[in-house]
Amino acid sequence: MGTGYPNKTRWIPGPVASRVLRYGLALASVAAALGLARTFLHFHLPQTFIAFALSAIAITFWYGGTKPGILAAMLASVVRIYFFEPELNAMSRGVYYLVFLIFALLMIRATRARNELEQRVAERTAELTRANEDLKLEIAQRKRTEAELRDSEAYLAEAQRLTHTASFALNIASRKIVHWSQEHFRLFDFDPEGGVPPLEVVLQRIHPDDRKRVEKIYETATREKMGYEVEYRIILPNGTMKHIHMLAHPVFSASRDLVEYVGTLVDVTERKRADEERERLRQVQADLARISRVTTMGELTASLAHEIKQPIAAAVTDANTCLRWLTRDHPDVEEAREAASRMVKDTTRANDIISRIRLMFNKEASQRELLDINAVIQEMVGLVHNEANRSSISIRTQLAADMPSIMADRVQLQQVFMNLMLNGIEAMKDMNGGGELTIQSRHAEDGQLMVSVSDTGLGLPPQQADQIFNAFFTTKLHGTGMGLSISRSIIESHGGRLWAADNSPRGASFHLTLPTNPF
Ligand code: ADP
């Protein structure tokens, strides 16, 4: 950076050389005055030494300083007398001396004034140079700041573009948009060339069904001097609909008046769609799970009913026949015995049918694969989540880490967990104040793993707790009474156990164990 001085190399005399030069100037200038005056005389021109001498004295004072100037005055008065009028009397010499002395004094004064002036000019120049330097620094700093600001604005615009986030500032008194970012133009499909649109035009883009709600939230927020958050839809001129999430923060004046809202608008269309899709899928999954459970149960019940009805009907007929033979005036015991043994045959057949159903879940029929039990539990929790939410029931999982993989039939285990969880939810549905379903997995003895499904519901049916695993036992209006029976068959076919217990102070727990290396 420059210093403000001209960048010239010049010879600056040292102190001794300077003195020699300055006193030399006294001698030289007086000698020059003498030379010129004598030349004039030689050509018979008027006597001019005084004028030349005064000039020499002035030049010496000006360029050589005070002392060389005084020397020049003394030399000039001596030269005047001895070279031009040596015969002058003392009085006249005195006049000459006086003239040169007065001139010297005047020159001293003039030189001093000039020196002061020079010093002031030098000081002023230095001040100006400093101010100039400061100004240059400030300009450079400002340029840097401007460049940084431009960069950060560019980054911000890019970030807004990537995240579909626009920013705005709205003056409340004038209802005028005072800041409107580039992304805002894109989001609302306005042409940036047209400048920031008026608020009323922007509001027209809000979906007619949402407009009143948004305006109401805005009015309440301004009245209460609060920030606000609102989600609404906008309709673009080409008919596209977008979901917007808006966040507005209040800005106050020193006197606590609400002046502006500063905020962001985020295009949440994609997120909204994904949420809706996820919710729809979850609903479909839950419905499917329920439908499959119901239809499986329904079909099973129908076919069982059909198959069992026949032997039971036969048994009833036999029982009536048996009674008839026995209640005769002369009971025919032989006939009654035959009818009774047919009854035994029929009921044994009914029993066989039920055993066959159990066999449906035997080892051969199932497809075993290496499974992570915690993953199966999590899948099922995901499926019943909505069902639980609807009844304000929370689901908690306490799954032990490092659970060993097991060889099991995934679909059958899913069916067991689904049954146990839905039973738990159903047991808590009619209780006030929600409830909690806890699913726990842990290591058990002998290399087994244990899963417990506990609820805070009604608890097991009193006096009938030992019957709940029986086929067709149900205390529910539309129950099938098959869930627990099938679940137990599945677990037992995997070499494990399933049992139930009441919880203290309320609710029931279902525990199952599964061997980790059953075969
Ligand atoms: P369903 O659910 O169709 O009745 P289940 O075999 O699954 O058939 O259950 C049989 C019975 O066991 C239920 O009707 C209910 O009385 C009882 N039960 C099952 N789970 C629970 C539970 N978590 N809390 C209290 N009782 C239960």
Side-chain angles (χ1 to χ4, degrees):
M1 199 159 290
T3 56
Y5 294 108
N7 194 14
K8 252 194 256 171
T9 355
R10 50 175 197 175
W11 179 70
I12 298 165
V16 178
S18 160
R19 197 171 299 157
V20 169
L21 274 178
R22 287 189 292 120
Y23 284 101
L25 178 65
L27 289 173
S29 61
V30 175
L34 173 63
L36 282 169
R38 287 187 76 116
T39 311
F40 269 52
L41 277 182
H42 180 73
F43 290 107
H44 305 291
L45 291 167
Q47 166 65 281
T48 50
F49 179 74
I50 290 277
F52 290 135
L54 291 180
S55 303
I57 294 166
I59 287 168
T60 311
F61 264 107
W62 199 258
Y63 293 105
T66 308
K67 283 178 187 163
I70 292 170
L71 176 66
M74 283 161 56
L75 278 175
S77 48
V78 171
V79 167
R80 174 72 183 88
I81 292 163
Y82 288 101
F83 281 91
F84 295 98
E85 288 167 300
E87 69 286 356
L88 269 190
N89 60 23
M91 180 76 167
S92 306
R93 286 177 184 198
V95 171
Y96 275 122
Y97 287 138
L98 196 66
V99 168
F100 285 117
L101 183 68
I102 290 170
F103 188 69
L105 287 175
L106 282 174
M107 281 312 295
I108 287 171
R109 184 105 199 91
T111 314
R112 200 170 284 160
R114 184 212 54 178
N115 285 347
E116 278 171 13
L117 192 68
E118 262 181 6
Q119 192 168 347
R120 272 216 299 282
V121 168
E123 280 169 7
R124 194 83 196 101
T125 310
E127 260 173 41
L128 281 175
T129 311
R130 257 200 316 278
N132 193 26
E133 290 303 308
D134 290 349
L135 204 63
K136 275 186 187 162
L137 276 177
E138 203 180 308
I139 289 171
Q141 177 69 34
R142 197 164 288 177
K143 273 192 183 147
R144 253 203 314 278
T145 314
E146 274 172 13
E148 281 169 12
L149 202 67
R150 263 198 309 279
D151 280 354
S152 84
E153 266 178 7
Y155 286 135
L156 186 68
E158 182 65 5
Q160 290 204 349
R161 202 176 60 74
L162 287 174
T163 56
H164 305 297
T165 305
S167 53
F168 73 93
L170 174 74
N171 184 288
I172 291 162
S174 63
R175 278 175 75 85
K176 227 177 140 178
I177 299 167
V178 287
H179 163 69
W180 172 274
S181 73
Q182 281 302 312
E183 186 58 20
H184 220 141
F185 286 105
R186 258 193 299 276
L187 274 190
F188 278 68
D189 197 15
F190 281 109
D191 182 6
E193 298 291 314
V196 177
L199 180 63
E200 305 312 323
V201 178
V202 178
L203 292 179
Q204 287 304 315
R205 297 260 153 119
I206 298 182
H207 193 293
D209 293 350
D210 294 349
R211 213 173 292 152
K212 273 215 168 64
R213 182 172 55 87
V214 174
E215 279 176 9
K216 207 161 159 214
I217 289 175
Y218 171 79
E219 276 162 22
T220 315
T222 42
R223 203 173 41 245
E224 294 175 2
K225 299 185 176 181
M226 304 259 294
Y228 64 97
E229 198 174 347
V230 60
E231 252 186 55
Y232 56 83
R233 292 161 295 172
I234 55 171
I235 309 272
L236 303 186
N238 63 7
T240 312
M241 191 174 81
K242 285 184 182 172
H243 289 265
I244 301 290
H245 179 263
M246 178 179 180
L247 193 73
H249 184 76
V251 178
F252 297 100
S253 67
S255 52
R256 293 295 297 162
D257 287 326
L258 186 56
V259 184
E260 271 182 6
Y261 273 120
V262 178
T264 53
L265 293 144
V266 187
D267 181 354
V268 291
T269 314
E270 289 303 317
R271 200 165 74 200
K272 199 95 185 161
R273 269 194 205 130
D275 280 352
E276 280 168 9
E277 190 58 19
R278 204 167 27 239
E279 178 55 30
R280 202 180 62 77
L281 273 179
R282 192 170 289 163
Q283 189 61 47
V284 168
Q285 268 181 328
D287 289 350
L288 265 181
R290 186 138 8 91
I291 288 165
S292 100
R293 182 172 182 255
V294 169
T295 45
T296 314
M297 299 296 153
E299 280 167 9
L300 207 60
T301 317
S303 76
L304 278 177
H306 180 73
E307 281 207 55
I308 299 169
K309 215 170 162 182
Q310 280 182 321
I312 289 178
V316 170
T317 313
D318 291 331
N320 283 332
T321 314
C322 179
L323 277 177
R324 253 198 331 274
W325 287 121
L326 290 175
T327 50
R328 284 168 71 139
D329 293 343
H330 300 285
D332 190 333
V333 177
E334 187 49 31
E335 288 289 348
R337 197 187 56 78
E338 268 181 34
S341 56
R342 279 202 301 278
M343 254 163 62
V344 171
K345 234 170 63 208
D346 289 333
T347 43
T348 310
R349 193 148 69 90
N351 193 37
D352 285 349
I353 293 168
I354 292 171
S355 302
R356 242 191 15 247
I357 300 294
R358 283 173 176 261
L359 274 178
M360 275 170 60
F361 304 102
N362 68 9
K363 209 160 52 180
E364 286 75 33
S366 64
Q367 290 187 348
R368 305 288 163 107
E369 57 185 305
L370 214 52
L371 288 181
D372 171 3
I373 194 87
N374 285 346
V376 181
I377 294 173
Q378 296 281 27
E379 276 168 25
M380 291 301 105
V381 169
L383 281 183
V384 300
H385 216 266
N386 269 0
E387 185 66 26
N389 271 354
R390 257 195 289 279
S391 310
S392 315
I393 291 166
S394 56
I395 302 185
R396 200 153 59 96
T397 47
Q398 295 175 338
L399 307 179
D402 317 324
M403 290 291 270
S405 300
I406 51 163
M407 277 300 277
D409 185 311
R410 173 189 294 276
V411 179
Q412 289 185 352
L413 285 194
Q414 283 176 341
Q415 205 174 349
V416 171
F417 292 132
M418 175 73 79
N419 272 326
L420 299 181
M421 288 183 202
L422 288 178
N423 273 346
I425 291 169
E426 275 168 15
M428 292 187 279
K429 248 181 192 165
D430 299 327
M431 314 260 308
N432 288 334
E436 191 174 76
L437 187 72
T438 309
I439 300 110
Q440 218 177 7
S441 70
R442 55 181 178 275
H443 300 266
E445 287 163 5
D446 305 329
Q448 305 227 351
L449 57 82
M450 186 163 172
V451 179
S452 303
V453 179
S454 312
D455 59 68
T456 55
L458 300 163
L460 301 178
Q463 278 100 46
Q464 294 173 302
D466 53 341
Q467 296 178 40
I468 57 171
F469 287 98
N470 292 350
F472 307 116
F473 174 84
T474 180
T475 53
K476 298 170 191 168
L477 197 59
H478 300 291
T480 61
M482 288 303 292
L484 289 179
S485 162
I486 293 175
S487 298
R488 182 174 261 179
S489 302
I490 292 173
I491 295 302
E492 285 176 358
S493 75
H494 281 78
R497 279 194 324 117
L498 170 64
W499 71 99
D502 265 317
N503 274 348
S504 159
R506 63 200 174 105
S509 285
F510 286 79
H511 308 283
L512 63 89
T513 54
L514 283 169
T516 50
N517 48 356
F519 309 105

